[in-house]
Amino acid sequence: MSDNKEERLEAMMKTFENNKKQASEKPMQSKKANTNANKTSIKIDKDTKILFDEGVYRFRTNRIDFIQRIIEDWMKEKAPEIYVDYIKQVLYEQINKER
C-alpha cells in the first residue's frame, strides 16, 4: 500500500511540474487587455448618463452595444454619406488602421 501512495504522489508531482512548465511557456495576457483591445472611453455629462443608463436598462442591452447603435443611427440620419463610407471601410482611420 505504501508503494501505491508513493506512485500516486510521484505521478501528481510529475503532473504538477508539467503544468508548471506549460504555464511558464505561455505568455501572460491580461483578460482586461484582451476584452478591451478594440474599445475606447467616451465622457458624457452626469445628467445625460442617467438617461443613458435608463436606456440600457429599458432596452435590455449592454452599454457598448447601446452606444454603438446610437452612433450608427445618428450617422445614418444626419450624415448618410459618411455612414456609407464607414460601411465600405473607406474612412481615413479605417484605411490607416494597419499603420
Side-chain angles (χ1 to χ4, degrees), residues 21-36:
K21 183 179 176 185
Q22 288 174 355
S24 67
E25 291 172 356
K26 294 179 185 176
M28 293 284 285
Q29 293 180 337
S30 168
K31 288 184 180 181
K32 187 171 185 175
N34 290 339
T35 59
N36 292 328

Side-chain angles (χ1 to χ4, degrees), residues 61-77:
T61 186
N62 69 45
R63 290 176 172 166
I64 294 169
D65 291 342
F66 190 69
I67 194 72
Q68 287 177 186
R69 181 65 188 265
I70 290 169
I71 293 168
E72 289 176 4
D73 288 349
W74 174 272
M75 293 304 289
K76 281 180 194 176
E77 182 183 329

Side-chain angles (χ1 to χ4, degrees), residues 42-86:
I42 297 174
K43 302 290 183 188
I44 60 173
D45 184 69
K46 287 182 181 182
D47 292 335
T48 306
K49 186 171 182 308
I50 294 168
L51 181 62
F52 175 77
D53 289 341
E54 186 65 24
V56 169
Y57 172 74
R58 294 273 175 111
F59 290 104
R60 305 289 195 269
T61 186
N62 69 45
R63 290 176 172 166
I64 294 169
D65 291 342
F66 190 69
I67 194 72
Q68 287 177 186
R69 181 65 188 265
I70 290 169
I71 293 168
E72 289 176 4
D73 288 349
W74 174 272
M75 293 304 289
K76 281 180 194 176
E77 182 183 329
K78 303 290 183 183
E81 66 283 352
I82 296 172
Y83 184 75
V84 169
D85 287 346
Y86 167 75

Side-chain angles (χ1 to χ4, degrees), residues 85-96:
D85 287 346
Y86 167 75
I87 297 298
K88 291 179 180 178
Q89 299 276 315
V90 295
L91 294 177
Y92 179 79
E93 289 188 46
Q94 291 171 318
I95 293 170
N96 296 304

